[in-house]
Short mmCIF file of all heavy atoms in Angstrom, two decimals:
data_model
loop_
_atom_site.label_atom_id
_atom_site.label_comp_id
_atom_site.label_asym_id
_atom_site.label_seq_id
_atom_site.Cartn_x
_atom_site.Cartn_y
_atom_site.Cartn_z
N MET A 1 19.68 -27.49 -9.00
CA MET A 1 21.04 -27.47 -8.61
C MET A 1 21.44 -26.02 -8.66
O MET A 1 21.07 -25.21 -9.55
CB MET A 1 21.82 -28.31 -9.68
CG MET A 1 23.34 -28.22 -9.38
SD MET A 1 24.39 -29.02 -10.63
CE MET A 1 24.18 -30.75 -10.08
N GLY A 2 22.25 -25.63 -7.70
CA GLY A 2 22.72 -24.25 -7.60
C GLY A 2 24.00 -23.98 -8.46
O GLY A 2 24.64 -24.98 -8.87
N ALA A 3 24.29 -22.74 -8.63
CA ALA A 3 25.40 -22.36 -9.42
C ALA A 3 26.68 -22.29 -8.56
O ALA A 3 26.60 -22.23 -7.34
CB ALA A 3 25.15 -20.95 -10.06
N VAL A 4 27.73 -22.36 -9.29
CA VAL A 4 29.13 -22.25 -8.61
C VAL A 4 29.70 -20.97 -9.05
O VAL A 4 29.67 -20.62 -10.24
CB VAL A 4 30.05 -23.44 -9.03
CG1 VAL A 4 31.45 -23.23 -8.50
CG2 VAL A 4 29.49 -24.74 -8.55
N ALA A 5 30.25 -20.13 -8.09
CA ALA A 5 30.96 -18.90 -8.40
C ALA A 5 32.33 -19.02 -7.89
O ALA A 5 32.68 -19.73 -7.00
CB ALA A 5 30.26 -17.74 -7.74
N VAL A 6 33.21 -18.31 -8.58
CA VAL A 6 34.62 -18.27 -8.20
C VAL A 6 35.11 -16.80 -8.13
O VAL A 6 34.85 -16.04 -9.04
CB VAL A 6 35.56 -19.01 -9.27
CG1 VAL A 6 36.99 -19.05 -8.80
CG2 VAL A 6 35.01 -20.44 -9.55
N ILE A 7 35.79 -16.46 -7.00
CA ILE A 7 36.18 -15.11 -6.74
C ILE A 7 37.67 -15.07 -6.49
O ILE A 7 38.20 -15.94 -5.59
CB ILE A 7 35.42 -14.52 -5.55
CG1 ILE A 7 33.97 -14.50 -5.75
CG2 ILE A 7 36.00 -13.11 -5.27
CD1 ILE A 7 33.04 -14.00 -4.64
N GLY A 8 38.39 -14.23 -7.12
CA GLY A 8 39.81 -14.03 -6.87
C GLY A 8 40.56 -13.62 -8.15
O GLY A 8 39.98 -13.56 -9.23
N ALA A 9 41.86 -13.46 -7.98
CA ALA A 9 42.65 -12.97 -9.17
C ALA A 9 43.08 -14.23 -9.98
O ALA A 9 43.38 -15.27 -9.39
CB ALA A 9 43.94 -12.30 -8.58
N GLY A 10 43.02 -14.10 -11.26
CA GLY A 10 43.47 -15.10 -12.11
C GLY A 10 42.60 -16.46 -12.15
O GLY A 10 43.05 -17.49 -12.30
N VAL A 11 41.27 -16.26 -12.06
CA VAL A 11 40.41 -17.41 -12.00
C VAL A 11 39.58 -17.55 -13.27
O VAL A 11 38.58 -18.37 -13.31
CB VAL A 11 39.36 -17.26 -10.76
CG1 VAL A 11 40.22 -17.31 -9.52
CG2 VAL A 11 38.53 -16.03 -10.83
N ASP A 12 39.95 -16.88 -14.34
CA ASP A 12 39.11 -16.90 -15.56
C ASP A 12 38.93 -18.36 -16.14
O ASP A 12 37.88 -18.63 -16.80
CB ASP A 12 39.83 -16.03 -16.69
CG ASP A 12 39.70 -14.57 -16.34
OD1 ASP A 12 38.76 -14.16 -15.64
OD2 ASP A 12 40.60 -13.79 -16.79
N GLY A 13 39.87 -19.16 -15.99
CA GLY A 13 39.82 -20.56 -16.47
C GLY A 13 38.64 -21.33 -15.89
O GLY A 13 38.15 -22.30 -16.64
N TRP A 14 38.08 -20.96 -14.77
CA TRP A 14 36.95 -21.66 -14.16
C TRP A 14 35.66 -21.51 -15.04
O TRP A 14 34.76 -22.30 -14.96
CB TRP A 14 36.76 -21.19 -12.77
CG TRP A 14 37.75 -21.77 -11.80
CD1 TRP A 14 38.97 -21.19 -11.45
CD2 TRP A 14 37.66 -22.96 -11.18
NE1 TRP A 14 39.59 -22.01 -10.56
CE2 TRP A 14 38.82 -23.12 -10.38
CE3 TRP A 14 36.76 -24.01 -11.13
CZ2 TRP A 14 39.08 -24.28 -9.56
CZ3 TRP A 14 36.98 -25.14 -10.33
CH2 TRP A 14 38.15 -25.24 -9.56
N ALA A 15 35.68 -20.49 -15.90
CA ALA A 15 34.53 -20.31 -16.73
C ALA A 15 34.30 -21.48 -17.72
O ALA A 15 33.21 -21.86 -18.11
CB ALA A 15 34.72 -19.02 -17.60
N LEU A 16 35.41 -22.12 -18.05
CA LEU A 16 35.31 -23.35 -18.93
C LEU A 16 34.60 -24.50 -18.28
O LEU A 16 33.97 -25.31 -18.99
CB LEU A 16 36.73 -23.79 -19.29
CG LEU A 16 37.58 -22.79 -20.21
CD1 LEU A 16 39.04 -23.32 -20.29
CD2 LEU A 16 36.92 -22.66 -21.54
N ALA A 17 34.55 -24.49 -16.95
CA ALA A 17 33.81 -25.56 -16.23
C ALA A 17 32.38 -25.07 -15.92
O ALA A 17 31.64 -25.76 -15.28
CB ALA A 17 34.56 -25.83 -14.98
N GLY A 18 32.02 -23.85 -16.37
CA GLY A 18 30.66 -23.43 -16.19
C GLY A 18 30.45 -22.60 -14.91
O GLY A 18 29.32 -22.16 -14.66
N ALA A 19 31.51 -22.25 -14.23
CA ALA A 19 31.43 -21.41 -13.05
C ALA A 19 31.22 -19.95 -13.45
O ALA A 19 31.62 -19.48 -14.45
CB ALA A 19 32.68 -21.52 -12.17
N ARG A 20 30.59 -19.18 -12.57
CA ARG A 20 30.42 -17.78 -12.68
C ARG A 20 31.71 -17.12 -12.11
O ARG A 20 31.98 -17.22 -10.88
CB ARG A 20 29.26 -17.27 -11.92
CG ARG A 20 27.92 -17.82 -12.51
CD ARG A 20 26.68 -17.28 -11.81
NE ARG A 20 25.56 -17.98 -12.24
CZ ARG A 20 24.43 -17.91 -11.65
NH1 ARG A 20 24.26 -17.19 -10.57
NH2 ARG A 20 23.39 -18.62 -12.14
N VAL A 21 32.46 -16.58 -12.97
CA VAL A 21 33.81 -16.07 -12.65
C VAL A 21 33.72 -14.57 -12.25
O VAL A 21 33.24 -13.79 -13.01
CB VAL A 21 34.82 -16.32 -13.73
CG1 VAL A 21 36.11 -15.64 -13.46
CG2 VAL A 21 35.01 -17.78 -14.02
N HIS A 22 34.35 -14.24 -11.11
CA HIS A 22 34.56 -12.88 -10.69
C HIS A 22 36.08 -12.69 -10.44
O HIS A 22 36.57 -12.97 -9.44
CB HIS A 22 33.86 -12.57 -9.33
CG HIS A 22 32.34 -12.83 -9.41
ND1 HIS A 22 31.49 -11.90 -9.81
CD2 HIS A 22 31.64 -14.04 -9.19
CE1 HIS A 22 30.23 -12.39 -9.81
NE2 HIS A 22 30.33 -13.63 -9.40
N ASP A 23 36.70 -12.24 -11.59
CA ASP A 23 38.14 -12.03 -11.53
C ASP A 23 38.39 -10.69 -10.72
O ASP A 23 38.28 -9.62 -11.22
CB ASP A 23 38.78 -11.89 -12.94
CG ASP A 23 40.29 -12.04 -12.96
OD1 ASP A 23 40.84 -12.30 -11.87
OD2 ASP A 23 40.86 -11.88 -14.01
N ALA A 24 38.77 -10.86 -9.47
CA ALA A 24 38.91 -9.76 -8.58
C ALA A 24 40.33 -9.74 -8.08
O ALA A 24 40.79 -10.61 -7.24
CB ALA A 24 37.92 -9.92 -7.42
N GLY A 25 41.09 -8.69 -8.42
CA GLY A 25 42.47 -8.63 -8.06
C GLY A 25 42.78 -7.70 -6.86
O GLY A 25 43.94 -7.58 -6.47
N ASP A 26 41.79 -6.99 -6.33
CA ASP A 26 42.01 -6.09 -5.19
C ASP A 26 40.88 -6.18 -4.19
O ASP A 26 39.85 -6.82 -4.48
CB ASP A 26 42.20 -4.68 -5.62
CG ASP A 26 41.03 -4.13 -6.36
OD1 ASP A 26 39.89 -4.07 -5.73
OD2 ASP A 26 41.15 -3.63 -7.47
N ASP A 27 41.09 -5.72 -2.95
CA ASP A 27 40.16 -5.92 -1.84
C ASP A 27 38.79 -5.35 -2.25
O ASP A 27 37.79 -6.11 -2.00
CB ASP A 27 40.63 -5.13 -0.61
CG ASP A 27 41.87 -5.75 -0.01
OD1 ASP A 27 42.47 -6.66 -0.66
OD2 ASP A 27 42.29 -5.33 1.06
N ALA A 28 38.71 -4.22 -2.91
CA ALA A 28 37.37 -3.64 -3.21
C ALA A 28 36.65 -4.52 -4.31
O ALA A 28 35.41 -4.74 -4.13
CB ALA A 28 37.49 -2.23 -3.79
N SER A 29 37.32 -5.01 -5.23
CA SER A 29 36.65 -5.81 -6.26
C SER A 29 36.25 -7.22 -5.65
O SER A 29 35.21 -7.79 -6.08
CB SER A 29 37.48 -5.96 -7.49
OG SER A 29 38.74 -6.63 -7.18
N VAL A 30 37.01 -7.72 -4.67
CA VAL A 30 36.54 -9.01 -4.02
C VAL A 30 35.30 -8.76 -3.28
O VAL A 30 34.33 -9.52 -3.33
CB VAL A 30 37.73 -9.50 -3.08
CG1 VAL A 30 37.19 -10.56 -2.20
CG2 VAL A 30 38.89 -9.93 -3.91
N ARG A 31 35.21 -7.66 -2.53
CA ARG A 31 34.01 -7.36 -1.76
C ARG A 31 32.82 -7.07 -2.65
O ARG A 31 31.67 -7.47 -2.39
CB ARG A 31 34.21 -6.15 -0.86
CG ARG A 31 35.07 -6.55 0.29
CD ARG A 31 35.10 -5.38 1.43
NE ARG A 31 35.92 -5.80 2.51
CZ ARG A 31 37.21 -5.66 2.62
NH1 ARG A 31 37.84 -4.99 1.74
NH2 ARG A 31 37.88 -6.11 3.72
N ARG A 32 33.04 -6.37 -3.79
CA ARG A 32 31.91 -6.21 -4.77
C ARG A 32 31.44 -7.53 -5.30
O ARG A 32 30.26 -7.66 -5.47
CB ARG A 32 32.44 -5.23 -5.87
CG ARG A 32 32.28 -3.85 -5.66
CD ARG A 32 32.39 -2.99 -6.88
NE ARG A 32 33.66 -3.25 -7.67
CZ ARG A 32 34.85 -2.70 -7.39
NH1 ARG A 32 35.01 -1.85 -6.45
NH2 ARG A 32 35.83 -3.07 -8.16
N ALA A 33 32.38 -8.35 -5.67
CA ALA A 33 32.01 -9.71 -6.18
C ALA A 33 31.19 -10.47 -5.20
O ALA A 33 30.13 -11.07 -5.51
CB ALA A 33 33.24 -10.50 -6.62
N TRP A 34 31.62 -10.49 -3.94
CA TRP A 34 30.87 -11.16 -2.93
C TRP A 34 29.44 -10.63 -2.69
O TRP A 34 28.45 -11.34 -2.63
CB TRP A 34 31.63 -11.08 -1.58
CG TRP A 34 30.93 -11.76 -0.46
CD1 TRP A 34 30.17 -11.17 0.57
CD2 TRP A 34 30.87 -13.10 -0.18
NE1 TRP A 34 29.70 -12.09 1.38
CE2 TRP A 34 30.10 -13.32 1.02
CE3 TRP A 34 31.46 -14.23 -0.76
CZ2 TRP A 34 29.84 -14.53 1.53
CZ3 TRP A 34 31.18 -15.57 -0.25
CH2 TRP A 34 30.43 -15.69 0.92
N SER A 35 29.35 -9.31 -2.68
CA SER A 35 28.02 -8.69 -2.54
C SER A 35 27.08 -8.87 -3.68
O SER A 35 25.90 -8.64 -3.58
CB SER A 35 28.15 -7.24 -2.09
OG SER A 35 28.75 -6.52 -3.10
N SER A 36 27.65 -9.19 -4.87
CA SER A 36 26.90 -9.29 -6.08
C SER A 36 26.42 -10.71 -6.37
O SER A 36 25.72 -10.99 -7.30
CB SER A 36 27.67 -8.72 -7.30
OG SER A 36 28.61 -9.57 -7.62
N LEU A 37 26.76 -11.70 -5.53
CA LEU A 37 26.33 -13.06 -5.70
C LEU A 37 24.87 -13.19 -5.76
O LEU A 37 24.18 -12.57 -4.87
CB LEU A 37 26.98 -13.94 -4.60
CG LEU A 37 28.42 -14.14 -4.58
CD1 LEU A 37 28.85 -15.00 -3.36
CD2 LEU A 37 28.94 -14.84 -5.85
N GLU A 38 24.38 -13.88 -6.69
CA GLU A 38 22.98 -14.05 -6.84
C GLU A 38 22.48 -15.18 -5.92
O GLU A 38 23.22 -16.04 -5.52
CB GLU A 38 22.61 -14.40 -8.29
CG GLU A 38 23.00 -13.21 -9.18
CD GLU A 38 22.79 -13.48 -10.66
OE1 GLU A 38 22.81 -14.71 -11.01
OE2 GLU A 38 22.75 -12.57 -11.41
N ASP A 39 21.14 -15.17 -5.66
CA ASP A 39 20.58 -16.17 -4.70
C ASP A 39 20.71 -17.61 -5.19
O ASP A 39 20.61 -18.52 -4.27
CB ASP A 39 19.07 -15.82 -4.58
CG ASP A 39 18.86 -14.58 -3.77
OD1 ASP A 39 19.77 -14.08 -3.13
OD2 ASP A 39 17.75 -14.04 -3.95
N ASP A 40 20.87 -17.86 -6.45
CA ASP A 40 21.03 -19.35 -6.88
C ASP A 40 22.43 -19.80 -6.74
O ASP A 40 22.63 -21.04 -7.13
CB ASP A 40 20.50 -19.42 -8.31
CG ASP A 40 21.38 -18.72 -9.34
OD1 ASP A 40 22.08 -17.74 -8.97
OD2 ASP A 40 21.37 -19.17 -10.50
N VAL A 41 23.37 -19.09 -6.26
CA VAL A 41 24.72 -19.59 -6.00
C VAL A 41 24.75 -20.45 -4.75
O VAL A 41 24.41 -19.97 -3.70
CB VAL A 41 25.74 -18.41 -5.98
CG1 VAL A 41 27.12 -18.91 -5.57
CG2 VAL A 41 25.82 -17.65 -7.22
N SER A 42 25.18 -21.70 -4.92
CA SER A 42 25.24 -22.62 -3.76
C SER A 42 26.66 -22.79 -3.24
O SER A 42 26.88 -23.08 -2.11
CB SER A 42 24.75 -23.96 -4.26
OG SER A 42 23.40 -23.88 -4.63
N VAL A 43 27.67 -22.67 -4.13
CA VAL A 43 29.06 -22.89 -3.74
C VAL A 43 29.92 -21.78 -4.38
O VAL A 43 29.76 -21.33 -5.48
CB VAL A 43 29.55 -24.23 -4.38
CG1 VAL A 43 31.04 -24.49 -4.02
CG2 VAL A 43 28.68 -25.44 -3.85
N VAL A 44 30.75 -21.27 -3.50
CA VAL A 44 31.81 -20.24 -3.86
C VAL A 44 33.21 -20.71 -3.66
O VAL A 44 33.50 -21.16 -2.54
CB VAL A 44 31.51 -18.92 -3.16
CG1 VAL A 44 32.55 -17.81 -3.61
CG2 VAL A 44 30.08 -18.36 -3.30
N LEU A 45 33.95 -20.72 -4.72
CA LEU A 45 35.38 -21.01 -4.56
C LEU A 45 36.14 -19.67 -4.43
O LEU A 45 35.95 -18.77 -5.21
CB LEU A 45 35.92 -21.84 -5.81
CG LEU A 45 35.18 -23.14 -6.09
CD1 LEU A 45 35.68 -23.67 -7.40
CD2 LEU A 45 35.46 -24.09 -4.95
N LEU A 46 37.00 -19.64 -3.51
CA LEU A 46 37.78 -18.39 -3.25
C LEU A 46 39.28 -18.66 -3.31
O LEU A 46 39.73 -19.73 -2.87
CB LEU A 46 37.51 -17.83 -1.84
CG LEU A 46 36.09 -17.37 -1.51
CD1 LEU A 46 36.04 -17.02 -0.05
CD2 LEU A 46 35.69 -16.23 -2.38
N THR A 47 40.03 -17.74 -3.87
CA THR A 47 41.45 -17.84 -3.80
C THR A 47 41.84 -17.60 -2.38
O THR A 47 41.05 -16.98 -1.56
CB THR A 47 42.18 -16.82 -4.75
OG1 THR A 47 41.80 -15.53 -4.31
CG2 THR A 47 41.82 -17.09 -6.18
N GLU A 48 43.00 -17.92 -1.96
CA GLU A 48 43.48 -17.66 -0.57
C GLU A 48 43.34 -16.17 -0.25
O GLU A 48 42.98 -15.81 0.87
CB GLU A 48 44.92 -18.16 -0.47
CG GLU A 48 45.26 -18.64 0.92
CD GLU A 48 46.65 -19.33 0.96
OE1 GLU A 48 47.42 -19.15 0.08
OE2 GLU A 48 46.83 -20.15 1.91
N GLU A 49 43.83 -15.32 -1.19
CA GLU A 49 43.76 -13.80 -0.95
C GLU A 49 42.31 -13.34 -0.89
O GLU A 49 42.04 -12.55 0.04
CB GLU A 49 44.47 -13.14 -2.15
CG GLU A 49 44.54 -11.67 -2.00
CD GLU A 49 45.24 -11.11 -0.76
OE1 GLU A 49 46.09 -11.88 -0.25
OE2 GLU A 49 44.96 -10.03 -0.33
N ALA A 50 41.36 -13.89 -1.64
CA ALA A 50 40.01 -13.39 -1.59
C ALA A 50 39.39 -13.87 -0.20
O ALA A 50 38.71 -13.09 0.44
CB ALA A 50 39.21 -13.97 -2.70
N ALA A 51 39.77 -14.98 0.25
CA ALA A 51 39.28 -15.44 1.57
C ALA A 51 39.83 -14.56 2.68
O ALA A 51 39.08 -14.29 3.65
CB ALA A 51 39.77 -16.88 1.78
N ARG A 52 41.05 -14.13 2.54
CA ARG A 52 41.58 -13.21 3.61
C ARG A 52 40.89 -11.89 3.57
O ARG A 52 40.46 -11.40 4.66
CB ARG A 52 43.04 -12.94 3.27
CG ARG A 52 43.74 -11.98 4.32
CD ARG A 52 44.98 -11.37 3.77
NE ARG A 52 44.87 -10.58 2.63
CZ ARG A 52 44.36 -9.31 2.55
NH1 ARG A 52 43.93 -8.77 3.68
NH2 ARG A 52 44.30 -8.67 1.37
N VAL A 53 40.48 -11.36 2.41
CA VAL A 53 39.70 -10.17 2.36
C VAL A 53 38.34 -10.32 2.94
O VAL A 53 37.83 -9.45 3.56
CB VAL A 53 39.59 -9.70 0.80
CG1 VAL A 53 38.64 -8.50 0.73
CG2 VAL A 53 40.97 -9.29 0.32
N LEU A 54 37.67 -11.49 2.82
CA LEU A 54 36.37 -11.67 3.19
C LEU A 54 36.24 -12.44 4.53
O LEU A 54 35.21 -12.97 4.92
CB LEU A 54 35.65 -12.52 2.13
CG LEU A 54 35.45 -11.92 0.77
CD1 LEU A 54 34.93 -12.96 -0.21
CD2 LEU A 54 34.54 -10.71 0.90
N SER A 55 37.31 -12.40 5.30
CA SER A 55 37.27 -13.16 6.55
C SER A 55 36.07 -12.81 7.49
O SER A 55 35.49 -13.77 8.03
CB SER A 55 38.67 -13.01 7.31
OG SER A 55 38.84 -11.66 7.68
N VAL A 56 35.72 -11.62 7.57
CA VAL A 56 34.66 -11.22 8.47
C VAL A 56 33.30 -11.68 7.84
O VAL A 56 32.51 -12.16 8.57
CB VAL A 56 34.64 -9.59 8.66
CG1 VAL A 56 33.39 -9.18 9.39
CG2 VAL A 56 35.83 -9.24 9.42
N GLU A 57 33.16 -11.47 6.54
CA GLU A 57 31.90 -11.86 5.90
C GLU A 57 31.68 -13.37 5.97
O GLU A 57 30.58 -13.85 6.15
CB GLU A 57 31.93 -11.39 4.46
CG GLU A 57 31.80 -9.99 4.21
CD GLU A 57 33.13 -9.16 4.25
OE1 GLU A 57 34.11 -9.73 4.73
OE2 GLU A 57 33.17 -8.02 3.71
N LEU A 58 32.72 -14.10 5.93
CA LEU A 58 32.69 -15.58 5.92
C LEU A 58 32.25 -16.14 7.30
O LEU A 58 31.61 -17.19 7.37
CB LEU A 58 33.96 -16.27 5.45
CG LEU A 58 34.41 -15.93 4.00
CD1 LEU A 58 35.73 -16.54 3.73
CD2 LEU A 58 33.36 -16.39 3.03
N THR A 59 32.63 -15.48 8.37
CA THR A 59 32.23 -15.94 9.68
C THR A 59 30.83 -15.48 10.05
O THR A 59 30.20 -16.05 10.99
CB THR A 59 33.16 -15.36 10.75
OG1 THR A 59 33.15 -13.92 10.70
CG2 THR A 59 34.62 -15.88 10.51
N ALA A 60 30.25 -14.64 9.21
CA ALA A 60 28.92 -14.08 9.63
C ALA A 60 27.81 -14.69 8.75
O ALA A 60 26.67 -14.24 8.82
CB ALA A 60 28.91 -12.58 9.38
N THR A 61 28.05 -15.74 7.94
CA THR A 61 27.04 -16.34 7.09
C THR A 61 27.14 -17.87 7.05
O THR A 61 28.21 -18.37 7.25
CB THR A 61 27.11 -15.69 5.67
OG1 THR A 61 26.07 -16.15 4.90
CG2 THR A 61 28.47 -16.11 5.00
N SER A 62 26.05 -18.47 6.75
CA SER A 62 26.03 -19.87 6.58
C SER A 62 25.65 -20.16 5.09
O SER A 62 25.66 -21.27 4.65
CB SER A 62 24.97 -20.58 7.47
OG SER A 62 23.69 -20.05 7.12
N TRP A 63 25.45 -19.14 4.29
CA TRP A 63 25.22 -19.28 2.83
C TRP A 63 26.24 -18.46 2.18
O TRP A 63 26.55 -17.35 2.59
CB TRP A 63 23.82 -18.74 2.52
CG TRP A 63 23.63 -18.62 1.00
CD1 TRP A 63 23.08 -19.55 0.13
CD2 TRP A 63 24.00 -17.51 0.17
NE1 TRP A 63 23.13 -19.06 -1.09
CE2 TRP A 63 23.67 -17.78 -1.15
CE3 TRP A 63 24.57 -16.17 0.43
CZ2 TRP A 63 23.88 -16.93 -2.18
CZ3 TRP A 63 24.74 -15.29 -0.58
CH2 TRP A 63 24.48 -15.68 -1.92
N PRO A 64 26.68 -18.84 1.07
CA PRO A 64 26.68 -20.20 0.45
C PRO A 64 27.89 -21.03 1.04
O PRO A 64 28.59 -20.54 1.89
CB PRO A 64 26.96 -19.97 -0.95
CG PRO A 64 27.80 -18.67 -0.95
CD PRO A 64 27.32 -17.89 0.19
N LEU A 65 27.93 -22.32 0.58
CA LEU A 65 29.10 -23.09 0.95
C LEU A 65 30.33 -22.44 0.33
O LEU A 65 30.36 -22.14 -0.83
CB LEU A 65 28.90 -24.50 0.43
CG LEU A 65 30.10 -25.47 0.63
CD1 LEU A 65 30.38 -25.66 2.16
CD2 LEU A 65 29.94 -26.78 -0.04
N VAL A 66 31.40 -22.27 1.14
CA VAL A 66 32.56 -21.62 0.66
C VAL A 66 33.77 -22.58 0.76
O VAL A 66 33.90 -23.21 1.82
CB VAL A 66 32.88 -20.33 1.48
CG1 VAL A 66 34.17 -19.73 1.08
CG2 VAL A 66 31.75 -19.32 1.37
N VAL A 67 34.58 -22.62 -0.31
CA VAL A 67 35.77 -23.43 -0.31
C VAL A 67 36.90 -22.63 -0.69
O VAL A 67 36.88 -21.77 -1.70
CB VAL A 67 35.61 -24.63 -1.43
CG1 VAL A 67 36.85 -25.42 -1.50
CG2 VAL A 67 34.36 -25.38 -1.11
N VAL A 68 38.00 -22.64 0.07
CA VAL A 68 39.19 -21.92 -0.23
C VAL A 68 40.15 -22.82 -0.95
O VAL A 68 40.55 -23.89 -0.52
CB VAL A 68 39.84 -21.29 1.07
CG1 VAL A 68 41.12 -20.58 0.72
CG2 VAL A 68 38.84 -20.44 1.86
N MET A 69 40.56 -22.32 -2.15
CA MET A 69 41.48 -23.05 -2.94
C MET A 69 42.94 -23.03 -2.33
O MET A 69 43.36 -22.01 -1.89
CB MET A 69 41.56 -22.50 -4.36
CG MET A 69 40.31 -22.75 -5.15
SD MET A 69 40.50 -22.05 -6.86
CE MET A 69 40.06 -20.37 -6.62
N PRO A 70 43.64 -24.16 -2.42
CA PRO A 70 44.99 -24.15 -1.90
C PRO A 70 45.91 -23.36 -2.86
O PRO A 70 45.49 -23.10 -4.02
CB PRO A 70 45.38 -25.60 -1.96
CG PRO A 70 44.43 -26.28 -2.88
CD PRO A 70 43.21 -25.42 -2.88
N PRO A 71 46.94 -22.82 -2.30
CA PRO A 71 47.92 -22.04 -3.14
C PRO A 71 48.41 -22.75 -4.30
O PRO A 71 48.50 -23.93 -4.41
CB PRO A 71 48.93 -21.58 -2.16
CG PRO A 71 48.80 -22.39 -0.98
CD PRO A 71 47.41 -23.07 -0.96
#
């Protein structure tokens, strides 16, 4: 089973569910978090803002499965 990662501002609570949390509050930290994802990550949850920052990256890949959280 693959790991779940969460990227965005204010996502620390997801660690309680076992997710790998990347609390990223600005564009540069969102991109760093995305590029640091390990190969065993199967699902990435993104805040709406993180998804906006990664719009180009998300259209260029089929890995991992990405879910954008509602506001």
